[in-house]
Amino acid sequence: MFDDHVNGEYTEFRDANEGDFTWWSYVNMKSDLKTALGFARFFYPDIIEVEGGFLLKDKFKIF
């Protein structure tokens, strides 16, 4: 998807930690539940059906 060197901090962590240090390891160290829940909205948003179409609930307003 992208080169590991796009995030210099990740490569520093990987190089400093022996063994099987992966992106999962990095995210586990750098994130918390609030951040994870925020990103979850991107992948599982609230959706509503309006006149046969599906729209993002937080972007839909009735005028």
Side-chain angles (χ1 to χ4, degrees):
M1 176 183 295
F2 55 85
D3 187 82
D4 287 349
H5 289 63
V6 75
N7 183 337
E9 187 178 53
Y10 165 76
T11 55
E12 289 178 26
F13 277 54
R14 183 195 62 201
D15 294 344
N17 291 279
E18 295 181 18
D20 190 25
F21 190 83
T22 65
W23 279 98
W24 288 109
S25 306
Y26 177 74
V27 170
N28 187 47
M29 291 173 59
K30 297 294 289 184
S31 297
D32 58 16
L33 180 58
K34 291 178 184 178
T35 303
L37 291 172
F39 275 104
R41 285 292 184 185
F42 288 117
F43 300 105
Y44 192 69
D46 291 329
I47 296 174
I48 58 173
E49 184 179 352
V50 178
E51 298 179 9
F54 296 94
L55 304 169
L56 296 174
K57 182 179 178 181
D58 61 347
K59 296 293 183 181
F60 181 74
K61 294 180 183 176
I62 298 175
F63 293 100

